[in-house]
Amino acid sequence: MATTLSVSGFPLEQTLAQLAQQTRFDDLAALAAVALLSTAYITKGLLWSKPDPYRYKLFERPQQQPGAKAAAPQTRDLAELLEQHQADVAILWASQSGTAERMAARLAKELSSHLHARVVLLDISDVDPTTCAKVPQSKLAIFLASTFGEGDPSDNLHEFWTWLHLPKDTSLSNLQYLAFGLGNSNYKHYNHVINVLADALDARGAKALMPTARADDAAGETEEHFLEWKEHVLEVFQTRLGYQRQAVSYEPSLQVVDDDSLEPIDLHHGIPRDSSVGKATSTQSKVYALPLVQSRELFKDTAGRNCIHMEVDLGEHAELKYRTGDHLGVWPVNPTVEIERLLCVLGLKQRRATPCHVKSTDGSPVKIPSPTSLDAIFEHYVEICAPVSREAVASLAAFAPTEAGAAFLTRISSNKDAYTEYLRSSYVNLGRLLEHACEGEAAWSALPLSLVLETLPAMQPRYYSISSSSVVQARRAAITAVVADTPISTSERVPGLATNYLLALKESSTRPAVAHPHGLTYSLPIPHQPLQASHIHAHIRKSTFKLPAIVSTPIVMVGAGTGVAPFRAFVQERAFLKKLGRDVGQAKLFFGCRNPEQDFIYEEEFTDLASQLGDSFSLVPAFSRPERVEDKRYVQDRIMEDPEAICNLLVDQNAYLYICGSAAMARDVSDAVAKVVMSRQGWSEADMREFADRQKRQKRWMQDVWG
């Protein structure tokens, strides 16, 4: 007997037919849906959901009213920039620390006020270098460029620098120019940047209206050399360009306006300008408030000297990262005693907390964030402890409250020798200078606050080589700093701004009851203060001072004093990688200090690292002030004592060479290396120069040095 299969009471054939029919219907429905959606997507903005042509109005700045004149589009064409600003003179600055920028601004102001020249002041990175050829002969370009490190250009000069080294096939025969370089003769490549710039312009046919001038900061003469050059520039404008010099009264470039309607939350209380904004993003991070997690004294017998090891925690900011060899930029705070001194002599104590706006009166950029208060300005935004230039002293004389004060300021400002002698015997900053000229509370109350802020340079960060490895401790960065304290007489001393601030933080965190050894105090924390106790404002700056990518590559390190900081990180990293089983190359460290009993910093750590690395690491100390005079050695002496090992590493094994410390030490070390290599290899000076240049191009001979 036949049996009929069924599903849910229906015959199987009928069920299958229904399923097939339903499948065909579902397929057709899906295809129709896909077609409908595709049509909708294709016709969006054409047949439906047309964009509102006025929607952009919702995102316009509220202050830009209908009918307001739109800002001119930004151009990088130098000829067009001159035309836009109706200027005859373009002053282009290339600056790393801000000195060249400040001098360019001073020159621009003086040319404008005393000669009525029409001037435009430009960051050189805002100019396309190829457009220099379009500048007409009736215009003039003035270049101020600094050299830092071993002949390196400033960060904002890199595009121009590349163009200067291209083939000289562009004619600049119409370009008239003047040039001023800032450098330090302690460095081997003194004023290299301005030399290359001037030579490249000349090779392209540009005409220099006077010889290129060079400032030398080796003896602190940059300011004087700038004043001398500026006077020559003014003479050229009068004798060759037909300008007439006129005596003018003081014209402020900025204005300070009190505004009691502002609340504390509206103000800038001391957070530095975000250094990642604009052109700095490729080289440094944003500024953060970083907590201090460790600080300790490194000198064994301080004897009035201090060396600080300090670590900051990066853990609160996941985006903040560093790599071994980078720098930490620390933003210092002015000491309370100098803030009070300046506020007192200016008669501004009652006004110190009043909210105010700082506005430009001539269109020049204002370096102080606004709105703010005088407390924040004098504590965080200007360097009130900076020396006062002779030119600024002359400006102050016009506002002296007494004839005696005016005579004193005129005497030291009009005579270079008198000013130099005054600096040799006195710690001079603006507050102290005003007190010396005319002492008493509010004695200088008639001095325009605008002139005070124009005289004081904007606060700048101080950079320290990071002395920890990012491989070993990625979320904590360490720095190593000797506290600067320069005696200038039996009773006067000039304290380093940043290092004494760090010392105060160290003392407050480790021994709260102990005062700063030099009596300096800082007002942290205060209401609305952006920094909590035991925090600093800092940012990371990238460096090319890096370990080889291949861990087995040998390295030779030479450092004196705190110049050993990055090498602590290097050796830490090598020891860590060896512990992980990596094959690490030979590392040889030459370290110089005064005395093993006083300032052999990180001695115990290096001993421990040596035990971990075994034959892969050797430390060669050099003591410049040992107990026995016959044991006196500098790092360059120790290099000369071991020529075979040095040559074997640098020449035979193609090791990386790193030098960190003062420029003078780096020059002596480079000379010592050259001597031992030339002697062993039988090379001429030309052979050695070719070898050194090749190693530097390949980033195998690197220096991290300071003046």
Side-chain angles (χ1 to χ4, degrees):
M1 186 175 70
T3 303
T4 302
L5 296 176
S6 64
V7 179
S8 300
F10 293 96
L12 178 60
E13 294 84 351
Q14 181 181 351
T15 303
L16 292 174
Q18 290 175 343
L19 287 174
Q21 183 178 0
Q22 181 66 38
T23 300
R24 287 195 297 273
F25 177 79
D26 290 345
D27 289 344
L28 290 173
L31 288 171
V34 169
L36 181 62
L37 291 173
S38 299
T39 303
Y41 178 79
I42 294 170
T43 59
K44 182 180 179 182
L46 297 174
L47 301 179
W48 67 283
S49 188
K50 292 183 179 180
D52 179 0
Y54 300 103
R55 187 171 183 268
Y56 70 92
K57 293 287 186 183
L58 297 174
F59 306 99
E60 284 188 337
R61 293 173 179 166
Q63 67 269 27
Q64 187 169 338
Q65 301 297 325
K69 185 178 180 181
Q74 184 63 39
T75 178
R76 299 183 69 242
D77 187 305
L78 182 55
E80 290 181 7
L81 285 165
L82 284 161
E83 190 66 29
Q84 280 185 6
H85 291 84
Q86 297 182 339
D88 296 316
V89 182
I91 301 180
L92 297 85
W93 57 266
S95 182
Q96 189 70 17
S97 65
T99 304
E101 179 184 3
R102 290 192 296 272
M103 290 179 170
R106 286 164 57 187
L107 177 63
K109 184 174 182 179
E110 188 146 348
L111 290 176
S112 177
S113 60
H114 287 273
L115 300 178
H116 291 174
R118 296 180 298 179
V119 181
V120 57
L121 181 64
L122 299 169
D123 179 333
I124 200 167
S125 65
D126 290 334
V127 174
D128 179 352
T130 63
T131 63
C132 290
K134 299 167 64 176
V135 176
Q137 196 168 7
S138 59
K139 309 291 185 179
L140 175 68
I142 303 179
F143 298 90
L144 290 88
S146 62
T147 299
F148 81 100
E150 281 301 312
D152 298 322
S154 58
D155 291 339
N156 70 325
L157 186 65
H158 282 172
E159 181 186 2
F160 219 95
W161 188 250
T162 301
W163 176 76
L164 292 173
H165 289 82
L166 293 177
K168 313 296 189 292
D169 53 1
T170 302
S171 174
L172 299 180
S173 57
N174 285 333
L175 182 67
Q176 298 186 101
Y177 79 94
L178 300 171
F180 180 74
L182 292 83
N184 187 316
S185 60
N186 283 332
Y187 291 84
K188 183 176 181 180
H189 301 287
Y190 166 59
N191 259 311
H192 177 64
V193 169
I194 203 65
N195 293 339
V196 170
L197 188 148
D199 289 345
L201 294 180
D202 292 343
R204 290 173 168 88
K207 301 177 181 64
L209 297 187
M210 57 182 277
T212 297
R214 299 164 184 82
D216 186 2
D217 201 44
E221 292 282 289
T222 295
E223 175 66 26
E224 288 297 333
H225 292 164
F226 170 71
L227 293 180
E228 293 172 7
W229 174 73
K230 182 166 64 67
E231 283 302 313
H232 291 313
V233 171
L234 295 177
E235 289 176 11
V236 166
F237 268 72
Q238 295 171 83
T239 59
R240 297 191 59 177
L241 302 178
Y243 287 84
Q244 292 187 357
R245 191 167 185 172
Q246 301 177 19
V248 296
S249 57
Y250 168 67
E251 296 178 3
S253 63
L254 54 82
Q255 182 182 24
V256 182
V257 181
D258 290 348
D259 187 350
D260 290 319
S261 69
L262 294 169
E263 297 294 329
I265 196 173
D266 300 323
L267 307 182
H268 294 267
H269 291 285
I271 298 176
R273 283 190 180 275
D274 190 344
S275 56
S276 69
V277 173
K279 307 173 185 67
T281 51
S282 63
T283 59
Q284 62 189 52
S285 73
K286 291 169 56 179
V287 178
Y288 296 89
L290 301 177
L292 305 178
V293 291
Q294 184 187 126
S295 55
R296 55 190 169 94
E297 177 63 51
L298 293 177
F299 284 165
K300 301 171 187 176
D301 179 10
T302 59
R305 298 171 65 234
N306 298 91
C307 185
I308 302 169
H309 173 90
M310 187 169 280
E311 298 188 14
V312 293
D313 184 12
L314 314 181
E316 297 177 4
H317 310 283
E319 70 280 11
L320 182 60
K321 300 174 182 178
Y322 78 96
R323 291 181 57 207
T324 306
D326 284 346
H327 300 105
L328 187 73
V330 175
W331 292 83
V333 171
N334 289 313
T336 303
V337 61
E338 299 301 336
I339 298 172
E340 296 298 329
R341 185 194 309 277
L342 187 55
L343 287 168
C344 179
V345 75
L346 292 174
L348 295 173
K349 280 194 169 185
Q350 300 302 316
R351 191 179 164 187
R352 64 189 301 168
T354 303
C356 63
H357 297 276
V358 184
K359 304 177 179 180
S360 173
T361 61
D362 60 3
S364 59
V366 178
K367 301 299 183 183
I368 298 170
S370 182
T372 183
S373 67
L374 292 183
D375 260 334
I377 291 173
F378 287 162
E379 187 169 24
H380 294 278
Y381 293 130
V382 294
E383 299 204 9
I384 65 173
C385 296
V388 186
S389 71
R390 193 158 59 88
E391 186 177 46
V393 175
S395 300
L396 297 171
F399 297 94
T402 65
E403 290 185 5
F408 163 70
L409 294 175
T410 301
R411 179 177 62 83
I412 64 171
S413 65
S414 59
N415 186 287
K416 177 182 175 181
D417 294 335
Y419 179 70
T420 303
E421 184 58 34
Y422 178 59
L423 291 182
R424 285 199 187 109
S425 60
S426 305
Y427 168 27
V428 180
N429 58 37
L430 183 58
R432 290 169 179 260
L433 177 67
L434 296 178
E435 276 187 345
H436 197 155
C438 190
E439 196 171 7
E441 186 168 355
W444 287 83
S445 57
L447 182 64
L449 182 54
S450 57
L451 179 57
V452 172
L453 299 183
E454 291 166 1
T455 299
L456 296 169
M459 184 67 77
Q460 297 290 330
R462 272 58 172 176
Y463 288 98
Y464 301 91
S465 297
I466 295 179
S467 52
S468 56
S469 164
S470 57
V471 172
V472 178
Q473 50 182 66
R475 307 310 301 152
R476 288 172 65 164
I479 58 173
T480 310
V482 168
V483 179
D485 179 35
T486 307
I488 55 176
S489 69
T490 55
S491 59
E492 293 276 14
R493 46 178 290 279
V494 178
L497 181 64
T499 52
N500 277 279
Y501 167 56
L502 294 176
L503 178 60
L505 288 174
K506 182 192 84 70
E507 296 293 356
S508 65
S509 64
T510 57
R511 298 182 296 171
V514 178
H516 188 287
H518 303 305
L520 298 177
T521 58
Y522 300 83
S523 61
L524 303 177
I526 60 175
H528 310 295
Q529 176 61 244
L531 281 178
Q532 303 173 33
S534 297
H535 282 61
I536 59 171
H537 279 132
H539 64 268
I540 302 295
R541 184 177 73 180
K542 295 180 182 179
S543 168
T544 58
F545 202 73
K546 301 296 183 186
L547 279 166
I550 301 174
V551 184
S552 59
T553 304
I555 57 175
V556 177
M557 302 161 284
V558 187
T562 54
V564 79
F567 303 141
R568 173 183 184 260
F570 285 11
V571 181
Q572 268 187 351
E573 188 159 312
R574 284 278 170 107
F576 181 80
L577 293 174
K578 183 170 185 178
K579 189 182 297 185
L580 295 179
R582 301 288 295 276
D583 179 20
V584 301
Q586 176 70 30
K588 193 176 189 68
L589 170 60
F590 293 87
F591 170 56
C593 64
R594 294 184 180 184
N595 189 292
E597 305 302 323
Q598 297 177 351
D599 51 8
F600 193 161
I601 60 177
Y602 299 122
E603 180 181 10
E604 294 79 8
E605 287 189 32
F606 280 125
T607 300
D608 181 58
L609 291 168
S611 66
Q612 297 177 44
L613 286 164
D615 294 339
S616 300
F617 174 63
S618 59
L619 172 62
V620 182
F623 305 114
S624 60
R625 299 184 187 179
E627 291 186 5
R628 300 193 316 164
V629 177
E630 57 268 28
D631 293 334
K632 179 177 179 178
R633 297 287 191 282
Y634 293 103
V635 283
Q636 58 266 28
D637 298 325
R638 299 308 302 265
I639 288 172
M640 297 288 289
E641 293 172 357
D642 199 4
E644 187 59 32
I646 289 292
C647 293
N648 178 264
L649 285 166
L650 295 182
V651 181
D652 300 342
Q653 299 187 47
N654 203 20
Y656 280 53
L657 173 64
Y658 302 90
I659 306 172
C660 186
S662 72
M665 180 277 294
R667 186 179 59 243
D668 292 340
V669 167
S670 296
D671 290 343
V673 169
K675 288 179 182 177
V676 298
V677 171
M678 288 167 61
S679 176
R680 192 253 206 174
Q681 299 295 118
W683 288 352
S684 65
E685 290 186 3
D687 295 330
M688 184 63 210
R689 187 161 51 250
E690 181 182 350
F691 170 76
D693 290 343
R694 182 174 65 252
Q695 297 297 93
K696 290 174 182 178
R697 286 195 304 272
Q698 297 175 357
K699 303 296 183 184
R700 289 178 175 271
W701 184 323
M702 289 182 277
Q703 299 185 167
D704 188 355
V705 299
W706 52 85

